[in-house]
């Protein structure tokens, strides 16, 4: 089933067009990666989906329902959760307070206890440090917390914006292992990443965006074989 479908979307920042006729889809249970260099239009695409930016034209549907005309809170309440670049946690709050803050939606409040137990089961280190102030966590632990907070929203679609950004190489591998584990547990994920080497290994399907255009798509294996991708993104 097509859970998310983006069809012919054109999005502007003022007079400057950022997305050009962008189309792709995410099926239920899939992990789809949107790849591209900095400034290619990846974050703009996520913002267009969750309502932070309104497309000038085109259509975005979720579970068959058009969502592009809806306000942000209504889109979020349908089960679309964005984990933003830089995580944007509350640094002075402890781990559990940050997690509880993720369950503010009506649909999530009803499952707060259940989802908190699920997060602690997935990330035992967060349970161990639930009373620890967030700013004292390592970068990798903070990324776990950001993902955990997203799960507290009881999402149907998780969108991650550059989750490996700024992390040491060993922590990058840990983060991608977590993403793969979430997917194996049934999560539907749209992953935005510059780290192509890691992203194509975990993805079921990939799209490449350049200068606001989708220029290529295929499985990770397909893209690894493509000479243009190998030269531009994989350093081969």
């Amino acid at each position: 089933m097509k859970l998310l479908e983006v069809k012919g979307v054109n999005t502007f920042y003022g007079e400057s067009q950022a997305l050009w006729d962008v189309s792709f889809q995410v099926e239920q249970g899939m992990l789809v990666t949107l790849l591209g260099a900095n400034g290619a239009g990846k974050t703009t695409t996520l913002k267009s989906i969750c309502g932070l930016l309104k497309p000038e034209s085109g259509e975005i549907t979720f579970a068959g329902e058009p969502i592009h005309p809806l306000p942000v809170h209504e889109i979020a309440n349908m089960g679309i959760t964005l984990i933003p670049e830089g995580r944007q946690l509350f640094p002075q709050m402890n781990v559990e307070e940050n997690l509880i803050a993720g369950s503010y939606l009506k649909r999530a409040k009803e499952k707060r206890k259940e989802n908190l137990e699920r997060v602690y089961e997935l990330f035992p280190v967060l349970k161990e440090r639930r009373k620890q102030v967030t700013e004292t966590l390592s970068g990798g632990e903070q990324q776990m917390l950001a993902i955990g907070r997203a799960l507290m929203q009881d999402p149907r679609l998780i969108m991650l914006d550059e989750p490996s950004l700024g992390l040491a190489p060993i922590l990058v591998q840990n983060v991608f292992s977590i993403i793969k584990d979430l997917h194996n547990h049934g999560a539907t994920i749209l992953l935005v990443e510059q780290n192509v080497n890691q992203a194509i290994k975990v993805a079921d399907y990939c799209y490449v965006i350049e200068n606001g255009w989708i220029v290529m798509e295929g499985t990770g294996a397909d893209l690894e074989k493509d000479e243009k991708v190998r030269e531009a993104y994989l350093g081969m």
Side-chain angles (χ1 to χ4, degrees):
M1 185 185 86
K2 293 178 185 176
L3 185 61
L4 174 73
E5 190 168 14
V6 178
K7 297 182 283 187
V9 163
N10 295 277
T11 300
F12 288 73
Y13 286 100
E15 298 295 321
S16 300
Q17 187 162 356
L19 298 182
W20 303 74
D21 199 30
V22 167
S23 298
F24 65 91
Q25 65 185 44
V26 180
E27 294 186 12
Q28 179 77 44
M30 287 188 70
L31 196 168
V32 172
T33 302
L34 184 61
L35 306 169
N38 188 36
K42 305 186 302 299
T43 298
T44 302
T45 301
L46 297 185
K47 288 182 176 180
S48 298
I49 293 167
C50 67
L52 292 171
L53 289 172
K54 293 299 180 186
E56 185 75 18
S57 60
E59 184 179 43
I60 302 172
T61 61
F62 186 69
E65 298 291 328
I67 62 171
H68 54 281
L70 300 178
V72 174
H73 70 278
E74 289 188 23
I75 295 173
N77 211 40
M78 292 180 74
I80 298 177
T81 296
L82 172 64
I83 304 175
E85 180 183 325
R87 300 180 286 273
Q88 297 184 18
L89 299 166
F90 299 105
Q92 300 298 322
M93 291 166 58
N94 68 33
V95 167
E96 191 159 291
E97 288 169 340
N98 265 283
L99 291 173
I100 296 300
S103 60
Y104 64 92
L105 296 172
K106 182 180 178 182
R107 64 194 302 273
K109 283 180 182 178
E110 297 168 356
K111 295 184 177 181
R112 177 177 289 169
K113 183 177 178 181
E114 175 186 338
N115 286 332
L116 187 61
E117 289 174 357
R118 178 190 176 202
V119 169
Y120 284 154
E121 183 179 342
L122 283 170
F123 307 120
V125 68
L126 296 183
K127 185 174 184 178
E128 292 170 10
R129 304 187 181 189
R130 60 187 182 276
K131 300 304 179 184
Q132 185 169 330
V133 176
T134 295
E135 66 180 359
T136 65
L137 299 176
S138 70
E141 289 164 349
Q142 288 188 27
Q143 189 63 65
M144 286 183 204
L145 180 54
I147 293 171
R149 185 176 64 179
L151 293 175
M152 290 295 294
Q153 297 181 38
D154 198 39
R156 297 172 66 190
L157 171 68
I158 301 172
M159 303 194 299
L160 295 106
D161 192 3
E162 305 284 7
S164 71
L165 191 68
L167 297 181
I170 189 169
L171 295 179
V172 169
Q173 297 218 4
N174 289 344
V175 165
F176 277 99
S177 294
I178 290 166
I179 292 169
K180 186 63 176 177
D181 191 44
L182 279 177
H183 178 46
N184 289 339
H185 279 80
T188 305
I189 298 172
L190 175 58
L191 170 65
V192 157
E193 254 300 333
Q194 291 186 58
N195 190 327
V196 176
N197 276 296
Q198 291 287 342
I200 62 176
K201 291 176 184 176
V202 299
D204 296 316
Y205 203 76
C206 308
Y207 295 88
V208 179
I209 187 168
E210 291 182 0
N211 300 315
W213 298 84
I214 299 290
V215 296
M216 196 178 306
E217 63 180 273
T219 65
D222 291 337
L223 296 188
E224 275 191 303
K225 295 173 186 175
D226 188 276
E227 185 175 341
K228 181 181 177 183
V229 172
R230 288 165 65 88
E231 290 179 357
Y233 298 104
L234 300 178
M236 300 179 181

